[in-house]
Amino acid sequence: GENVEQHPSTLSVQEGDSAVIKCTYSDSASNYFPWYKQELGKRPQLIIDIRSNVGEKKDQRIAVTLNKTAKHFSLHITETQPEDSAVYFCAASGGGGADGLTFGKGTHLIIQP
Amino acid sequence: NAGVMQNPRHLVRRRGQEARLRCSPMKGHSHVYWYRQLPEEGLKFMVYLQKENIIDESGMPKERFSAEFPKEGPSILRIQQVVRGDSAAYFCASSPQEGNEAFFGQGTRLTVV
């Protein structure tokens, strides 16, 4: 089945700086890669996603890049703000087997004032 | 359009009792997924269901756990004879028939005492 690795597990950046979170996946048939943000005690919320037919997608301060050859994808947050502090999860799906998402272990992003 | 609804939000059970967790998907969504999240950890896939069918239960423990998504009514995740290790947050997600975007409910926090 699919295996998703996510790094780093904790990331601390100064407010206003950029943050990058990286994920790798194992199943070359996977074709859908969402990113979720989870604040403490709350549900995971979809913030951006990308499909395997594109290499990059942007939404205001958030961007995701995908390298199918290397089987890795990254989340980029620019001009970070205190409200960006949360745990971020990458996921992959669409490969052989279940349509269920396989998640990375999460990155705790801390924005330092 | 109401989001994914889970109830109860919090559930306390004594060891050996049964726990029933309910999930009503978003309107128009026919795919339901259950995930388990232990404290400080990521989301682990448990089971993927469509109406009246279990599509993939590869993440479900072989014993004590079962899930259903009947033609009418919510999806149910049932845990029999609960043990302390079952304490976790259980999230349900739903997606439309076409496409893979999954939207999460608020989760049920199960505590076994």
Side-chain angles (χ1 to χ4, degrees):
Chain A
E2 176 68 277
N3 182 46
V4 176
E5 301 281 341
Q6 183 173 348
H7 300 279
S9 56
T10 304
L11 178 60
S12 182
V13 301
Q14 290 293 125
E15 183 178 349
D17 287 351
S18 296
V20 180
I21 302 170
K22 298 181 180 181
C23 288
T24 60
Y25 61 99
S26 61
D27 188 346
S28 56
S30 288
N31 57 18
Y32 175 64
F33 307 92
W35 286 88
Y36 286 84
K37 176 183 180 182
Q38 188 177 28
E39 296 175 11
L40 189 63
K42 297 190 175 180
R43 77 180 88 190
Q45 295 210 300
L46 180 71
I47 55 170
I48 195 168
D49 57 12
I50 192 167
R51 296 187 186 274
S52 58
N53 58 346
V54 298
E56 183 174 0
K57 185 175 177 180
K58 252 185 145 175
D59 182 3
Q60 299 183 339
R61 296 187 297 108
I62 293 172
V64 58
T65 59
L66 172 65
N67 183 328
K68 282 181 63 180
T69 304
K71 289 190 281 190
H72 67 69
F73 56 113
S74 301
L75 178 72
H76 304 251
I77 306 174
T78 58
E79 300 171 18
T80 53
Q81 300 169 3
E83 54 265 36
D84 295 330
S85 294
V87 179
Y88 291 80
F89 293 97
C90 63
S93 82
D99 283 347
L101 294 164
T102 301
F103 284 86
K105 290 194 187 310
T107 296
H108 187 191
L109 177 62
I110 302 165
I111 307 301
Q112 304 276 10
Chain B
N1 186 3
V4 180
M5 303 299 293
Q6 287 188 250
N7 68 83
R9 292 287 307 278
H10 300 275
L11 182 61
V12 179
R13 283 287 177 266
R14 295 187 184 280
R15 281 178 293 172
Q17 290 185 320
E18 179 180 286
R20 280 185 177 237
L21 289 62
R22 293 175 184 77
C23 169
S24 296
M26 286 178 72
K27 188 177 180 181
H29 286 195
S30 58
H31 299 211
V32 166
Y33 312 87
W34 285 93
Y35 293 85
R36 177 162 64 176
Q37 187 175 38
L38 294 169
E40 308 297 325
E41 291 194 13
L43 294 140
K44 291 281 176 63
F45 168 75
M46 298 182 74
V47 63
Y48 162 42
L49 311 103
Q50 293 181 22
K51 283 284 186 182
E52 300 184 276
N53 285 307
I54 296 174
I55 307 303
D56 183 354
E57 55 183 349
S58 59
M60 288 270 274
K62 292 284 185 280
E63 297 176 351
R64 302 188 297 108
F65 285 71
S66 63
E68 62 177 9
F69 188 16
K71 188 176 179 182
E72 301 291 338
S75 175
I76 306 285
L77 179 67
R78 183 179 174 211
I79 311 172
Q80 296 178 290
Q81 299 173 338
V82 295
V83 300
R84 287 246 170 89
D86 296 333
S87 295
Y90 291 83
F91 286 96
C92 163
S94 73
S95 68
Q97 191 166 5
E98 303 295 331
N100 298 349
E101 295 87 350
F103 297 90
F104 282 83
Q106 295 273 35
T108 293
R109 278 150 186 83
L110 172 66
T111 303
V112 180
V113 297

